Amino acid sequence: MKDQQKLKNRRFFLLITFLFFTSYATSQTFKKVNYQEISIVGSKLISIDDVIANSSINLPTSLIFVKTTYAEKELKKNLSLKNVSVFRQIFPFGLKILIETRTPIAYGERTFKGKKITGFIDEDGFFINPKYSDQVNLKKITCKVFGWKENFRETLSKILNYQKHNDIEFISITFSPNGFLTLEEKNFRTILLGFNPKIIENQLQIINNMKNQIKENKILEKIDNIDLTDPNNPKIKVFKP
């Protein structure tokens, strides 16, 4: 009988404890989040002011009404972040925001509303505001990207990643307003690639093959430009003495 009574008492205690924490958690979700109850982890470049200015999070607001998934999408886009996660927390109370910034591997230049904007480009071809980029490796950057647009991002990423794994060093990557792509390589100088992003991988392979072959003949210094707008009919222009 004593054991049964102890079991009943234990169950009753657990039930009361459960109801208490459930009630506490419910009350906390309706409690309003203020500025000091937001914590940012993973980057010292992003401030709480940046988070508020670049998302739909309005303070003070009830914790339960914070649209975490929507806020993540806003912050990732507006702050050029690689990853961002927004969590509601009961204890400690508030919002916890985990941030991963993008690492620049090239300088970038774009036009927005008629104004020229400078920044950086990461390996995925994303344009990064200098304020929100990891600036550890800036001294190693030698490539510049001109005329960046969102629809050029995939092509740009292929170029930057191909360069990383091959003996090619692009000094500049330029997209004209109508999308004509021109590269400047350290040894080849100007390389014309044209308008077709679907053949970029083939064009890059041709550049790599040509550089290896021409290097062996030691005539790199004589090349003025290469036209690969038609990969099946590459044209090389050399300096005339």
Side-chain angles (χ1 to χ4, degrees):
M1 293 293 290
K2 289 183 178 180
D3 290 339
Q4 289 182 347
Q5 187 61 41
K6 286 182 179 179
L7 182 60
K8 287 181 180 180
N9 291 340
R10 184 178 180 184
R11 287 176 176 173
F12 180 75
F13 174 77
L14 291 174
L15 177 61
I16 294 299
T17 303
F18 173 76
L19 291 174
F20 170 79
F21 280 109
T22 301
S23 176
Y24 175 77
T26 302
S27 66
Q28 287 294 89
T29 60
F30 286 96
K31 183 179 176 182
K32 290 190 176 182
V33 179
N34 288 293
Y35 190 96
Q36 66 272 17
E37 290 155 338
I38 296 178
S39 62
I40 297 174
V41 179
S43 174
K44 295 181 179 179
L45 300 172
I46 311 295
S47 68
I48 297 176
D49 287 330
D50 292 324
V51 169
I52 301 305
N54 289 280
S55 73
S56 55
I57 298 174
N58 294 313
L59 299 180
T61 187
S62 296
L63 185 65
I64 196 171
F65 294 134
V66 176
K67 299 177 181 178
T68 55
T69 302
Y70 187 61
E72 288 169 354
K73 292 179 180 178
E74 291 176 315
L75 293 172
K76 188 172 183 179
K77 178 182 178 181
N78 296 337
L79 300 181
S80 305
L81 300 175
K82 190 164 188 175
N83 286 301
V84 57
S85 299
V86 180
F87 298 98
R88 300 187 194 95
Q89 290 190 156
I90 301 299
F91 186 81
F93 175 80
L95 286 176
K96 185 175 183 179
I97 303 175
L98 304 182
I99 285 174
E100 182 182 0
T101 56
R102 295 185 179 277
T103 301
I105 62 172
Y107 291 103
E109 185 179 289
R110 62 181 296 196
T111 301
F112 183 70
K113 294 183 178 180
K115 293 183 179 181
K116 188 180 294 183
I117 299 173
T118 58
F120 300 106
I121 309 293
D122 80 334
E123 64 180 3
D124 296 318
F126 282 93
F127 191 92
I128 318 168
N129 184 314
K131 183 179 178 181
Y132 307 127
S133 64
D134 183 344
Q135 302 186 21
V136 175
N137 298 315
L138 290 188
K139 292 181 180 180
K140 298 179 182 179
I141 296 178
T142 58
C143 182
K144 295 181 179 180
V145 178
F146 300 98
W148 183 94
K149 290 182 181 179
E150 177 64 34
N151 55 319
F152 300 149
R153 189 180 60 75
E154 186 176 347
T155 299
L156 183 54
S157 177
K158 289 178 180 178
I159 295 171
L160 293 172
N161 280 283
Y162 192 89
Q163 170 181 253
K164 185 168 63 174
H165 300 293
N166 293 276
D167 185 23
I168 293 178
E169 186 178 344
F170 294 119
I171 304 302
S172 68
I173 302 170
T174 304
F175 295 93
S176 70
N178 62 357
F180 190 95
L181 176 58
T182 304
L183 306 180
E184 182 182 354
E185 207 272 335
K186 183 177 181 181
N187 299 115
F188 273 160
R189 298 180 178 85
T190 303
I191 305 172
L192 307 175
L193 298 187
F195 296 100
N196 190 355
K198 294 181 180 179
I199 60 174
I200 185 64
E201 291 166 323
N202 185 25
Q203 290 171 317
L204 290 171
Q205 185 62 57
I206 291 173
I207 294 171
N208 192 44
N209 292 341
M210 291 179 68
K211 184 166 183 178
N212 290 334
Q213 292 171 9
I214 294 175
K215 225 157 112 180
E216 293 176 2
N217 297 320
K218 299 180 181 179
I219 61 170
L220 281 173
E221 66 277 4
K222 297 180 181 180
I223 295 177
D224 184 18
N225 67 63
I226 298 174
D227 186 343
L228 293 178
T229 52
D230 179 3
N232 296 316
N233 184 30
K235 300 174 182 176
I236 299 177
K237 182 180 179 181
V238 298
F239 287 109
K240 293 182 180 180

